[in-house]
Amino acid sequence: MTRITIAKGDGIGPEIMEATLEILMAAGAQIEIDEVEIGEKVYLSGNTSGIAAEAWDVIRRNKIFLKAPITTPQGGGYKSLNVTTRKFLGLYANVRPCMSMHPFVSTKHPIMDLVIVRENEEDLYAGIEHQQTNEVVQCIKIISRPGCEKIVRYAFEYAKQQNRKKVTCFTKDNIMKQTDGLFHEVFNEIAKEYPEIENEHWIVDIGAAKVADTPEVFDVIVMANLYGDIISDIAAQIAGSVGLAGSSNIGEECAMFEAIHGTAPDIGGKNIANPSGLLQGAVMMLNHIGQIAVAEKIQNAWLKTIEDGTHTVDIFKEGISKQKVGTKDFANAVIANLGQIPTVLKPVNYANSAALHLPKYKRKTPLVKALVGVDIFVHWDSLDPNELASKIQKIATNDIKLSMITNRGIKVWPEGFKETFCTDHWRCRFKPVDEHKMKPIDIIKLLQNALNENIETIKTENLYNFDGKAGFSLGQGQ
Ligand code: NAD
């Protein structure tokens, strides 16, 4: 018997959770259930996190969480509970299988069967955002080596366990050489440890286009958080419907399982929602907790129900479907099919689907880190870079000189183009003269000089070399 936590969420959440639990119980799942309240009601009661402290206690104690979708109220500074849960509980891997069920669910891609493994904790979802000038806001993209290693290793281990043949990596490292560059570098390193699995890399834009056009060429695809969020919705939708896909969020200790769709407020409370997405999440949960026979029994009954043409309104199509049913009747149809297997669709065999236990991340020997410059960002309202250059050169010292100014990353001094559009947000790069070994005090002196010159500095970024290799990018056009 495994004790799990559930949350019924908002919109269609309660009805699809009820349907899912009925199927689980009828199939003989050995689970005991604690329910917690999360979502809209909790937010609107004045709790901006959408969850009470006692609910966290239950979730952390049980470690396994089956969650229906929730509504994050717009505006009012409410933080997304989904993102918070993934990060608080260290659920680094988001696994989203997207398989078409041709000819029973309408799709342009009859032989699609891919799994997206999305990094779940970092990237632009770190949520570190600031307004810095009148015209410019920023969002910091954090990519860590442990984050990359954990997710890439998870993708390869998953492929190995599931007998999948290829792992593809999507990045945009032609542009983001440091962040996406690290993800790609780690992918190449870890791929070497799995010579039996084919590996490849695509730039994310053409990769996404290929997913939409020829998804059958992909098997497992691993990517950073934002790309994974977007592309997994595309993949689920072209497989048939976002309403059919579930996902798991896996951490070293805890795991959360859910549908990938939202609360569908337009159809909430009408008993017409498709419970399949949450049911797919629940099947992944049963595999994770080792109740493999029950997971198989449910999945085969579900496939049989889809194959029978017993469809909810979102996938119902004249000529393909046989019977249009509501949420409850769909669940009853799956229950009636327990013990049966599909005849056209491939029955599942989950013999190798238990939770993966990956080795803990091991810290590497630190690299030799040397301070070699500083980027000082300033708010400057005049739009003439040469004017800024002559002003800011005054803050230089005997040891540290201005080497470049960029605006939105493009070099505007020295030798900028008058055609380049500028905002009020400028990066001024300072580097030491040849023989000077730069120290943190040099930065303080520059900032003090800027203060004396009435220049508004908004932030600094230190420039480091690691083992002699630049840990920062050049200005565009430099
Ligand atoms: P949505 O997925 O809720 O709905 C998109 C469309 O798909 C709607 O027309 C809806 O009726 C339909 N649909 C979705 N699930 C369905 C199902 N199971 N059966 C039948 N039809 C279904 O996306 P949205 O409209 O962008 O978001 C609505 C709300 O859900 C928002 O408040 C959003 O914040 C929230 N949301 C929550 C989660 C989550 O909790 N994991 C994820 C995404 C969105």
Side-chain angles (χ1 to χ4, degrees):
M1 197 61 83
T2 304
R3 205 168 184 94
I4 67 162
T5 309
I6 65 143
K8 291 185 176 163
D10 302 311
I12 59 171
E15 21 185 336
I16 59 171
M17 179 62 84
E18 208 170 292
T20 298
L21 292 178
E22 264 173 33
I23 297 168
L24 261 59
M25 291 315 178
Q30 297 295 299
I31 52 173
E32 284 173 331
I33 293 169
D34 287 320
E35 184 180 342
V36 294
E37 176 107 60
I38 58 170
E40 198 167 24
K41 254 192 261 156
V42 184
Y43 282 118
L44 297 179
S45 73
N47 185 334
T48 50
S49 68
I51 180 169
E54 307 80 66
W56 277 127
D57 294 343
V58 179
I59 292 169
R60 292 171 75 188
R61 190 181 63 225
N62 292 343
K63 301 192 189 315
I64 303 293
F65 186 21
L66 179 65
K67 188 185 81 52
I70 56 165
T71 302
T72 311
Q74 296 293 304
Y78 300 110
K79 278 276 184 190
S80 159
L81 179 55
N82 295 319
V83 177
T84 311
T85 308
R86 291 170 193 154
K87 290 205 254 184
F88 256 158
L89 299 180
L91 310 180
Y92 65 92
N94 182 211
V95 184
R96 294 185 170 194
C98 300
M99 197 178 89
S100 58
M101 276 173 293
H102 176 78
F104 306 104
V105 177
S106 175
T107 169
K108 293 186 188 117
H109 305 286
I111 44 175
M112 172 175 184
D113 177 14
L114 60 83
V115 180
I116 291 180
V117 177
R118 162 191 171 196
E119 199 290 322
N120 222 7
E121 294 181 281
E122 46 190 49
D123 191 6
L124 289 155
Y125 287 58
I128 308 175
E129 291 193 292
H130 309 90
Q131 177 162 5
Q132 300 196 310
T133 64
N134 292 325
E135 294 177 342
V136 174
V137 287
Q138 70 166 16
C139 174
I140 298 182
K141 172 159 167 145
I142 303 260
I143 299 283
S144 72
R145 177 166 269 277
C148 295
E149 284 196 16
K150 283 165 71 173
I151 197 65
V152 172
R153 190 172 296 289
Y154 191 93
F156 277 97
E157 284 295 322
Y158 180 89
K160 193 165 132 187
Q161 182 198 48
Q162 303 282 323
N163 203 18
R164 288 181 173 264
K165 306 290 178 242
K166 181 168 76 172
V167 179
T168 305
C169 172
F170 285 177
T171 73
K172 188 81 182 172
D173 66 340
N174 53 333
I175 303 294
M176 282 160 279
K177 296 189 167 63
Q178 296 292 325
T179 48
D180 283 30
L182 176 61
F183 197 97
H184 190 174
E185 184 183 314
V186 169
F187 177 79
N188 288 344
E189 282 169 23
I190 291 185
K192 289 201 188 90
E193 296 176 31
Y194 300 85
E196 71 285 12
I197 299 172
E198 196 188 329
N199 70 79
E200 63 177 9
H201 170 269
W202 289 98
I203 296 293
V204 63
D205 37 13
I206 186 63
K210 281 171 81 79
V211 166
D213 188 44
T214 49
E216 64 278 8
V217 304
F218 294 104
D219 201 342
V220 174
I221 317 178
V222 64
M223 55 193 121
N225 208 338
L226 177 63
Y227 309 142
D229 194 3
I230 297 168
I231 296 172
S232 60
D233 266 25
I234 296 173
Q237 185 66 22
I238 65 169
S241 161
V242 283
L244 292 178
S247 85
S248 61
N249 298 269
I250 308 289
E252 283 171 12
E253 288 196 28
C254 301
M256 175 173 83
F257 303 85
E258 57 186 345
I260 74 161
H261 59 73
T263 55
D266 48 335
I267 58 168
K270 293 188 180 152
N271 185 37
I272 57 172
N274 189 345
S276 297
L278 188 59
L279 184 66
Q280 291 303 291
V283 167
M284 294 170 100
M285 175 188 79
L286 290 170
N287 277 320
H288 186 84
I289 60 178
Q291 298 191 22
I292 288 167
V294 189
E296 255 175 30
K297 192 170 165 188
I298 294 174
Q299 188 69 356
N300 283 329
W302 178 72
L303 290 170
K304 176 81 171 58
T305 309
I306 298 287
E307 199 177 272
D308 289 344
T310 307
H311 292 170
T312 42
V313 62
D314 55 315
I315 56 167
F316 186 89
K317 205 158 188 181
E318 265 338 311
I320 297 181
S321 310
K322 300 255 162 51
Q323 195 191 357
K324 193 187 282 180
V325 289
T327 314
K328 285 191 179 138
D329 284 341
F330 182 81
N332 289 336
V334 175
I335 291 169
N337 279 336
L338 286 169
Q340 300 201 49
I341 55 168
T343 49
V344 179
L345 296 171
K346 201 165 156 240
V348 292
N349 176 343
Y350 288 143
N352 297 319
S353 292
L356 288 170
H357 295 289
L358 269 58
K360 287 239 187 264
Y361 175 75
K362 277 204 215 81
R363 278 248 147 82
K364 306 280 175 297
T365 323
L367 306 175
V368 178
K369 184 178 176 187
L371 183 64
V372 295
V374 64
D375 281 346
I376 298 181
F377 289 76
V378 303
H379 180 167
W380 174 260
D381 281 321
S382 159
L383 296 181
D384 180 359
N386 293 318
E387 203 182 303
L388 174 61
S390 56
K391 176 109 177 144
I392 201 144
Q393 272 171 319
K394 292 189 192 142
I395 78 170
T397 64
N398 286 338
D399 300 321
I400 314 286
K401 303 289 181 208
L402 180 69
S403 73
M404 166 185 80
I405 301 177
T406 68
N407 194 294
R408 295 189 299 174
I410 179 89
K411 189 187 72 167
V412 291
W413 184 92
E415 293 150 18
F417 285 13
K418 74 173 175 24
E419 292 86 349
T420 305
F421 182 86
C422 291
T423 68
D424 58 2
H425 185 273
W426 308 81
R427 170 180 59 171
C428 306
R429 176 161 290 178
F430 285 85
K431 302 206 86 175
V433 293
D434 287 346
E435 65 283 5
H436 180 71
K437 195 164 176 299
M438 190 164 174
K439 296 189 204 59
I441 189 70
D442 291 314
I443 300 172
I444 309 284
K445 283 183 194 157
L446 292 172
L447 293 177
Q448 181 62 55
N449 292 348
L451 196 63
N452 297 343
E453 290 292 331
N454 268 330
I455 294 171
E456 186 189 346
T457 57
I458 48 183
K459 73 161 184 172
T460 59
E461 293 284 355
N462 295 357
L463 309 181
Y464 293 108
N465 280 355
F466 288 87
D467 277 359
K469 192 174 146 218
F472 52 91
S473 47
L474 297 177
Q476 260 165 310
Q478 196 185 11

